Amino acid sequence: MTKMPKPLSHSGRAMGCSSSPHNPSSSSHLSFFLLLFMSLSLFCPCNGQNSLSQGQVLRDGETLVSSMGTFELGFFSPGNSTLRFVGIWYRDISVESVVWVANRENPLSDKNGVLTIGSNGSLVILDGSNSSVWSSSNSSSSSSQFTNSTAILMDTGNLILYPTEDTNDSSGSLWQSLQHPTDTYLPSMRVRVNSAMGENRAFTSWKSDSDPSRGNYSMGVDPRGTPQIVIWEGSIRRWRSGHWNGLIFLGVPNMTANYLYGFRLSSVESDGSTYFTYTPLNTSDLLRFRISWEGREEMLRWDATGNEWTILQSEPVNECEKYNWCGDFGICNIKKSPNICSCMDGFTPKYAEEWKKGNWTGGCVRKTELGCGKNTSSSLEEGGGDGFLEIEGVKLPDFADIGSAKNANDCEANCLNNCSCYAFSYLSTVGCFVWSGDLIDVQHFESGGRTLFVRVAGSELASRKISTILIIVLVVIGSFLFCVSLWLLWRFKEDVKACSILCCGSRKNELPLFDISNSITEPSSELSGQYDLEAKQVNGPDLPLFNFNAVATATNNFSEQNKLGQGGFGPVYKGKLPGGQEIAVKRLSRKSGQGLEEFKNELVLIAKLQHRNLVRLLGYCIKGEEKMLIYEYMPNRSLDKFLFTDQSKQNQLDWRKRFQIIEGVARGLLYLHRDSRLRIIHRDLKASNILLDEEMNPKISDFGMARIFGGNQDEANTTRVVGTYGYMSPEYAMEGLFSIKSDVYSFGVLLLEIVSGRRNIGFRSPEQSNLIGQAWQLWNEGKVMELVDPSIASSCLRDEVKRCIHVGMLCVQDSAAQRPTMSSVILLLESEAASLPLPRQPTFTSKRSDIDSDHYFDENDVNVSLNNASITRVVGR
Ligand SMILES: *[C@@H]1O[C@H](CO)[C@@H](O)[C@H](O)[C@H]1NC(C)=O
Ligand SMILES: *[C@@H]1O[C@H](CO)[C@@H](O)[C@H](O)[C@H]1NC(C)=O
Ligand SMILES: *[C@@H]1O[C@H](CO)[C@@H](O)[C@H](O)[C@H]1NC(C)=O
Ligand SMILES: *[C@@H]1O[C@H](CO)[C@@H](O)[C@H](O)[C@H]1NC(C)=O
Ligand SMILES: *[C@@H]1O[C@H](CO)[C@@H](O)[C@H](O)[C@H]1NC(C)=O
Ligand SMILES: *[C@@H]1O[C@H](CO)[C@@H](O)[C@H](O)[C@H]1NC(C)=O
Ligand SMILES: *[C@@H]1O[C@H](CO)[C@@H](O)[C@H](O)[C@H]1NC(C)=O
Ligand SMILES: *[C@@H]1O[C@H](CO)[C@@H](O)[C@H](O)[C@H]1NC(C)=O
Ligand SMILES: *[C@@H]1O[C@H](CO)[C@@H](O)[C@H](O)[C@H]1NC(C)=O
Ligand SMILES: *[C@@H]1O[C@H](CO)[C@@H](O)[C@H](O)[C@H]1NC(C)=O
C-alpha cells in the first residue's frame, strides 16, 4: 500500500498549497517557506490550506486539507501502481481510502504533474510539459473568463470551484466534485432520480484495486415505477434494491426503517427532480457507500478501534440476490439451498432437463395459456376467466408501472381487465404496482417481503383448489390417525395431561402450518358435540386449539400471582408451556354477554394478521363457557406502565426508543388500515394496548373491538360506542361515527402521551384540563418543548420532538377530514424536509364529565373504569 502524502511531512515540498505561485522554482525561497511552515505547524497541526486560488499551483506531494481535517486532496498512487492520480481521501485514517479521483482515465506517469486553476477558470491537471490531462470542464468554447476562481475542499469531501473569491455562496459554484462522483457515495451527496432522464448511473467502479479507471460495474438509480438502486455490469443488471416505497427499499430485507446501520436515508425534492441522500445519525461516524471493483455494493463504517472499515452491508450477498438468478417467473429462496429455484404456481420450467441440473437461467413458462385475449368461450368472462394466485413474502419483480387505483380491489380489477397485465401488488404508501411482461427477479424473503398477485388461467385456479382439497383430506386422515394413536397412548399411559401439553407446546413456532388443532382434543369421554360446534362457530382459523387443562397448568390454575392485568373483557394471565415458551392468556369473563362476539371477532381478525407491530396470537382455547386467547408473552408488558408510573420506568424509555415506539405503532396501524387485505379499524388504541417486547418494540394488541370494513366503505355508524375515555374522537364519542380517522385521533393522543409522559385525561394543569388542550396552548405560545417529558429532555432531538408534537396536533383535530391518514403520518414523522400543515384548534375534550352528562348514555350497559379499562355503552337511538 502506497503511503499517502501528508501535508507538512517528510517530503520537502509537502507544505500545503504553495503560497508562492509566482516563483515556485526558487530553492532559497522554498527552504525559507519550508522553515516558516514547519515552525507554523508546531503551533497549528491542522495547518493545511483548504483552498486553491487562481494562479496557485498544487504540486505532487502537496495537499489541500478540509477545514476540520476530515478530507485531504492531492496526488497518489493506488495499490501497486506507480501512476499518479489526483484524488480525495480521508486524512486521519491509516488505511488508504480514496473517495474521489479526478483524472481516473488519464494518469500521470511521473511526479511532475500539478493541479491548478487555468486561465479560463477551470480546474486543470497539467503534466510535466504543461499540457492538460484533465479539466473540470471539457468544453473549450466557453468564453467567460473567471480570473478569481477559487477551489475549496469541504469537510463533506466535496471540492467546490467558485467563480470568485467569495466561497460562501454555494449556489454560485462552477463545479463540484460530488456532482461528478467516481465509485463512492458520500453522506450529503445527492443522487438524482428523474424519470424523464432515465437511469442515472452515478457511480462507476474502479478497474482493480490498483487502477481507478472505469471498471465494468456501475451503480445508480433506475426511476421506473418507483426508484430502485441498481448495479449494472456493462448494460446488464446484476443487482437491484427493489422499489422505494417512500421510506425504504423493498428488496433489502434488512432495511426495516429509513434509518439503519447508523444512517438515515431520505429523498428530497428540488427543481423538479428527486434526490436520494443520507446522513449519519451520529455525525462523528465516517460512513460511505461504494461500488467495489468486483461489482459489489458496499456500505462501510470506519471502526477507529479496530482500525479498519467495517462492511455493514454488502450486495449481492448470495445467489438469490443476484439479478434474476432463477429466470423469468422463477422464485429464488436461499433457505432451500441447493435447490434454491422454483417456478411460481401455475408455471413449469422452460427447459426441464437444464433446470434439473441446476441451470435455472431458462426460467419458467405457463402451464396453461391465459384465457384473456384468446378467442374462446371463456374470453367472454371478465378477464377471460383468469384469476390471480397469491405469492407472499417476495421481492416484487422488476420493471413495475404504477397503475391508477384507489385501493387494492381497484388495483386487482384494473389488472384483470387488462390482458397485458401479468401481476399486481398494492402498497399503501405507493399505490398499485402492475407488471405487463415477464416477472423478473423475484426472490422469497423470510421476513419483510411483499405480496404479489400473479395472473394465471382460470383452470389453474381450479386445479389448485382441487389439490388444496386433496391436501386437506390427507391432513384430516392424518390427524385422525394421529388422534387414534394419541387415544391409544392415553389408554396405556396415565400421563395424558403432559402429552397434550406437549402437543400444544411443540407447535409454538410454526403456525399456522396446517390445522391439526381439531385432533388435539380433550381425551375425556365427554368430548362434546358442543365443543366441536363452538370451534366451528368461530370459523376455525388456522390456529392451534389449546387444551384447557394445558392452559390451566401453564397458568398455575389461573392463579392470582400469574395475573397480568384486567382487560376490557376479562383477566389476562401469564403462563409457561412445558417447552419453556411464555404465553399470555386472555380469559374472557363468563359474565360478559358480549364475550363470544368479541372473541370470534378477535380470533378471526388476528388469525389473518401478520405484522411486526401487531401482537401475535398463538392459539385459542374453548371449553364450555370458557373462551381464551393465547398470545405471545411480552416481557415488558404495556406502554402505559413505562409512561405513567414512576420516574425510573420513564427513564428506561429515552427519546430514541419513544420515537421508535411511535413509528412502530404508526406502522402497525397503517397495516391495519391499508396494508392488510382487510381494512380494520382498531377502535381502542391506547397506551395500555401497546405491548412491548424485550427490545421495546411496540405491538398493538386487543382487537376485541376492531371492525372490518369493506373495500369502499369509509365510515360506519354504530349504536354501540366502545372505546376508552381520552382516546375517543369527537365524532365517535358524540355520534357513534367511526372511521380510520377515529383511530388516527387515538394515535394522536397516544403520540402526545408518549412525548409528554402524561395521560391525556387524569392530567391536570392549572390552565388546562387535558393534555390536548395544553399541547395546543403551548404550541400557540411557541413553547411546545415545555410539553416534553423531563426525563427525555436530555436525550431528545428537538426537531424530531417538535415534528412529533406537530403531527400529534394534526391527528387530534376536531374534523376527521382534516386529520392525516396513517400513511401521511408516517411520511410526516420520518421526513425531515416535509413542511407540515398548521393544525386547527382542538376544542373537543373527551373528559369523563362530558361523557357522563351525555344523555345517550345508559348506565346499565357500561363497564367503566376511568383511564384504563375500555368502556362499552349503548347509544339509544
Ligand atoms: C501488490 O502486489 C503484491 C505482490 O505482487 C500482491 O500480493 C498484492 O495483492 C498487490 N496489491 C494490490 C492492492 O494489488
Ligand atoms: C510550464 O508553465 C510554467 C508557468 O507557466 C513555466 O514556468 C514552465 O517553464 C512551463 N514548463 C514547460 C515544460 O513548458
Ligand atoms: C463533456 O462533454 C460531454 C460530451 O460533449 C458531455 O456530455 C459532458 O457533460 C461534458 N462533461 C463536463 C464535465 O462538462
Ligand atoms: C479551460 O482550459 C483547459 C486547459 O487549459 C481546457 O481543457 C478546458 O476545456 C478549458 N475550459 C473552458 C471552459 O474553456
Ligand atoms: C478579482 O479580485 C480582485 C481583488 O480581490 C478584484 O480587484 C478584481 O476585481 C476581481 N476580478 C474579478 C473579475 O472579479
Ligand atoms: C463568509 O462567511 C463567513 C462566516 O460564515 C463570514 O465571516 C465571511 O465574512 C463571509 N465572507 C463573505 C465574503 O461574505
Ligand atoms: C471486465 O470485463 C473484461 C472484458 O469482458 C474482463 O476481461 C474483465 O475480467 C472484467 N473485470 C472484472 C473485474 O470483472
Ligand atoms: C458518536 O460516536 C462517537 C465515536 O464513535 C461516540 O464516542 C459517541 O458517543 C457517539 N455519539 C452518540 C450520540 O451516539
Ligand atoms: C441482514 O442482517 C443479518 C443479521 O443482522 C445478516 O446476517 C445478513 O447478512 C444481512 N443481510 C444483508 C443482505 O445484508
Ligand atoms: C443453461 O440453459 C440455457 C437454456 O437452455 C442454455 O442456453 C445454456 O447453455 C445453459 N448453460 C449451461 C452452463 O449449461
Side-chain angles (χ1 to χ4, degrees), residues 44 66 69 78 107 157 243 251 279 281 333 365 368 404 435 464 466 533 595 653 663 703 721 750 765 774 827 841 852:
C44 177
S66 66
H243 297 93
T279 45
L281 293 181
N333 186 349
V365 290
T368 317
S404 60
W435 288 266
R464 202 179 123 92
I466 291 170
L533 194 84
L653 282 186
E663 285 182 314
F703 296 82
V721 172
L750 180 65
S765 82
Q774 215 213 1
L827 284 174
Q841 177 167 17
D852 277 351

Side-chain angles (χ1 to χ4, degrees), residues 612-661:
R612 179 170 0 104
N613 298 113
L614 302 184
V615 71
R616 204 164 68 128
L617 187 64
L618 299 179
Y620 61 107
C621 177
I622 303 181
K623 189 197 174 198
E625 295 266 87
E626 292 281 0
K627 299 170 216 60
M628 280 172 268
L629 293 170
I630 290 108
Y631 292 99
E632 57 181 336
Y633 174 69
M634 291 290 141
N636 278 320
R637 317 274 295 269
S638 56
L639 179 59
D640 60 329
K641 303 266 185 306
F642 282 89
L643 286 183
F644 309 133
T645 46
D646 56 282
Q647 188 70 35
S648 67
K649 282 267 190 190
Q650 284 184 344
N651 287 343
Q652 285 179 38
L653 282 186
D654 63 10
W655 170 243
R656 190 114 301 282
K657 291 218 181 76
R658 288 190 197 204
F659 189 66
Q660 277 165 12
I661 289 170

Side-chain angles (χ1 to χ4, degrees), residues 24 126-130:
L126 304 175
D127 63 13
S129 57
N130 278 358

Side-chain angles (χ1 to χ4, degrees), residues 205-208 215-217 233 293-295:
S205 69
W206 288 21
K207 221 169 220 142
S208 76
N216 299 349
Y217 299 95
E233 180 179 3
W293 65 273
E294 294 122 314

Side-chain angles (χ1 to χ4, degrees), residues 118-371:
S119 58
N120 59 14
S122 309
L123 274 165
V124 285
I125 298 174
L126 304 175
D127 63 13
S129 57
N130 278 358
S131 64
S132 154
V133 298
W134 176 87
S135 149
S136 60
S137 74
N138 60 5
S139 88
S140 51
S141 62
S142 168
S143 57
S144 55
Q145 298 277 305
F146 298 101
T147 51
N148 285 347
S149 288
T150 307
I152 179 162
L153 179 62
M154 311 299 287
D155 266 305
T156 51
N158 197 5
L159 179 66
I160 308 181
L161 183 66
Y162 291 101
T164 63
E165 280 165 341
D166 175 13
T167 54
N168 280 8
D169 177 15
S170 69
S171 63
S173 71
L174 292 172
W175 177 91
Q176 301 188 22
S177 66
L178 283 193
Q179 290 172 353
H180 301 91
T182 51
D183 67 337
T184 303
Y185 180 18
L186 289 171
S188 84
M189 184 165 162
R190 309 201 307 181
V191 179
R192 176 182 49 76
V193 186
N194 184 336
S195 13
M197 295 169 83
E199 291 165 359
N200 175 14
R201 300 188 188 178
F203 309 94
T204 315
S205 69
W206 288 21
K207 221 169 220 142
S208 76
D209 260 352
S210 303
D211 183 359
S213 63
R214 287 168 176 276
N216 299 349
Y217 299 95
S218 52
M219 178 170 78
V221 187
D222 181 351
R224 261 172 292 191
T226 63
Q228 310 186 67
I229 308 289
V230 177
I231 294 176
W232 291 270
E233 180 179 3
S235 58
I236 303 167
R237 292 177 172 226
R238 290 299 180 209
W239 177 80
R240 67 186 178 102
S241 65
H243 297 93
W244 174 251
N245 77 348
L247 293 175
I248 62 168
F249 290 106
L250 297 174
V252 184
N254 281 8
M255 192 170 185
T256 52
N258 67 339
Y259 51 87
L260 86 164
Y261 305 130
F263 76 97
R264 184 187 285 272
L265 181 66
S266 51
S267 60
V268 290
E269 305 275 336
S270 163
D271 346 309
S273 279
T274 307
Y275 296 86
F276 279 117
T277 184
Y278 70 101
T279 45
L281 293 181
N282 182 343
T283 44
S284 56
D285 274 353
L286 297 183
L287 292 178
R288 61 185 175 131
F289 281 96
R290 70 161 183 197
I291 172 84
S292 78
W293 65 273
E294 294 122 314
R296 304 165 66 77
E297 176 257 16
E298 287 176 338
M299 151 120 223
L300 304 161
R301 179 171 57 206
W302 179 250
D303 170 10
T305 43
N307 234 355
E308 60 179 10
W309 288 96
T310 313
I311 300 185
L312 299 174
Q313 189 220 6
S314 173
E315 301 281 3
V317 283
N318 57 43
E319 303 207 304
C320 276
E321 300 269 329
K322 293 184 183 164
Y323 192 76
N324 209 21
W325 191 249
C326 294
D328 301 358
F329 298 108
I331 304 178
C332 199
N333 186 349
I334 200 67
K335 283 275 147 60
K336 296 206 177 135
S337 179
N339 291 316
I340 53 178
C341 289
S342 56
C343 287
M344 294 177 180
D345 281 339
F347 291 80
T348 183
K350 188 167 185 190
Y351 305 106
E353 284 306 309
E354 293 287 342
W355 188 272
K356 269 186 216 139
K357 281 190 256 162
N359 174 7
W360 294 296
T361 50
C364 306
V365 290
R366 286 183 193 286
K367 287 184 191 156
T368 317
E369 280 304 300
L370 292 176

Side-chain angles (χ1 to χ4, degrees), residues 836-865:
L836 305 178
L838 285 179
R840 306 228 175 147
Q841 177 167 17
T843 55
F844 171 81
T845 54
S846 58
K847 289 198 307 252
R848 183 176 159 74
S849 57
D850 288 356
I851 288 188
D852 277 351
S853 61
D854 184 340
H855 63 276
Y856 290 132
F857 195 58
D858 181 349
E859 291 285 350
N860 298 327
D861 280 280
V862 181
N863 61 37
V864 184
S865 89

